[in-house]
Amino acid sequence: MQQLNDFFDTYARALETYNTKGMAFLYNIPCSMLSDDATSFFSDAGKLEGFFNQGTGFYRQFGIANVVPHIWSKRPCTDRIVNVKVKWQYLDVFKKLIYDCDYHYTLKLDKNNQWKIILSVSVNEKEKMEEWKAKEKMKA
């Protein structure tokens, strides 16, 4: 299970450096991403990387420079499949919190015994971003 901590630390470093190829590498192909508003299925790593390119544009625009994953639950389903709940913290260059949000992941060990995300569920990122943007608007 320590591997999972390392996995999400690697994911955070990829997010911080806008390394969309590195982010896509952490996903199994095919994979799915769900939120209340959307369901996306990716069967091509290039399209997944393109999806991440859109997200990193947002991070750059709003000054996200540091990303911290807090794993608050790891639940094995089988010997090779696990459900993980993560609270992500997005911080600026001064390590001041911009916003945080929750994700639930299903990961599976691949043939090389490396964890890969097969399902990513955004629990509340849209709401948390909108809440943060509203606060920023009120400051301006």
Side-chain angles (χ1 to χ4, degrees):
M1 287 295 185
Q2 175 59 37
Q3 277 185 314
L4 291 169
N5 293 334
D6 296 340
F7 176 91
F8 283 101
D9 286 341
T10 298
Y11 197 145
R13 298 305 70 80
L15 280 165
E16 287 176 347
T17 59
Y18 313 113
N19 178 358
T20 56
K21 191 175 287 305
M23 291 164 59
F25 178 76
L26 298 172
Y27 280 77
N28 185 75
I29 299 299
C31 64
S32 298
M33 294 184 177
L34 302 175
S35 69
D36 284 341
D37 299 332
T39 300
S40 302
F41 181 77
F42 295 93
S43 57
D44 177 272
K47 289 186 176 164
L48 179 60
E49 188 178 344
F51 175 80
F52 288 140
N53 276 321
Q54 293 174 346
T56 58
F58 169 84
Y59 294 154
R60 285 179 197 210
Q61 179 183 354
F62 291 103
I64 293 171
N66 297 284
V67 180
V68 181
H70 295 282
I71 296 174
W72 53 278
S73 172
K74 300 175 198 172
R75 190 175 54 88
C77 296
T78 71
D79 290 341
R80 301 184 64 80
I81 300 170
V82 64
N83 288 319
V84 181
K85 295 178 181 180
V86 179
K87 176 175 287 300
W88 289 99
Q89 290 185 316
Y90 298 97
L91 306 113
D92 66 16
V93 70
F94 303 108
K95 302 213 174 173
K96 180 179 175 243
L97 181 67
I98 295 175
Y99 76 94
D100 62 11
C101 64
D102 301 304
Y103 269 80
H104 296 184
Y105 297 94
T106 301
L107 293 90
K108 182 178 180 179
L109 285 171
D110 69 7
K111 63 184 178 196
N112 299 313
N113 257 6
Q114 299 295 312
W115 289 110
K116 300 287 182 171
I117 298 169
I118 59 172
L119 175 64
S120 171
V121 180
S122 173
V123 176
N124 58 4
E125 185 167 29
K126 180 182 176 190
E127 295 82 1
K128 294 284 195 148
M129 279 193 308
E130 288 172 355
E131 184 180 297
W132 169 73
K133 284 188 207 175
K135 284 181 196 172
E136 288 300 303
K137 223 179 214 183
M138 291 178 73
K139 289 180 189 176

